[in-house]
Amino acid sequence: MKAMRKEELTQALYDAKTLPALTKANNEWLAFYGAASEKDKEYMGNAMVEYSQWLLAKSKESREEFKKFMAEVEAINLEANQQQ
């Protein structure tokens, strides 16, 4: 049961789509971590490193998508200005 709980808590971080959901998942993760055995703390620490790397990759992906979107908007505005 304890192993499943660790996995569920970690998965909740990935699944959080809103700030309240992320806050709840983070608070539960921290509470579990605070009372965990050394072995569980090691697992949870490694899981947090993986989550952080995933989060950074998603952030980079979002930035690239935003840059593409802004380039498209700029091209549309440039075309509209040229047609005037």
Side-chain angles (χ1 to χ4, degrees):
M1 179 66 176
K2 202 171 196 180
M4 179 63 107
R5 180 81 173 133
K6 292 186 297 193
E7 293 166 1
E8 289 171 355
L9 289 169
T10 301
Q11 189 60 46
L13 293 169
Y14 288 93
D15 294 343
K17 302 292 186 224
T18 64
L19 184 56
L22 182 58
T23 299
K24 181 179 185 286
N26 185 58
N27 289 343
E28 290 177 358
W29 189 94
L30 286 171
F32 184 91
Y33 183 85
S37 68
E38 287 304 312
K39 184 178 178 182
D40 286 343
K41 283 183 179 183
E42 182 178 353
Y43 173 90
M44 298 291 282
N46 290 336
M48 185 55 77
V49 168
E50 290 177 18
Y51 171 71
S52 298
Q53 291 170 340
W54 175 83
L55 196 57
L56 288 170
K58 292 302 257 181
S59 176
K60 183 177 180 181
E61 183 180 303
S62 293
R63 267 193 320 272
E64 293 304 318
E65 289 175 8
F66 181 73
K67 285 180 186 177
K68 287 178 186 176
F69 171 76
M70 291 307 295
E72 290 173 9
V73 168
E74 190 174 319
I76 290 169
N77 287 339
L78 182 61
E79 184 178 324
N81 288 337
Q82 288 176 350
Q83 290 178 358
Q84 291 180 354

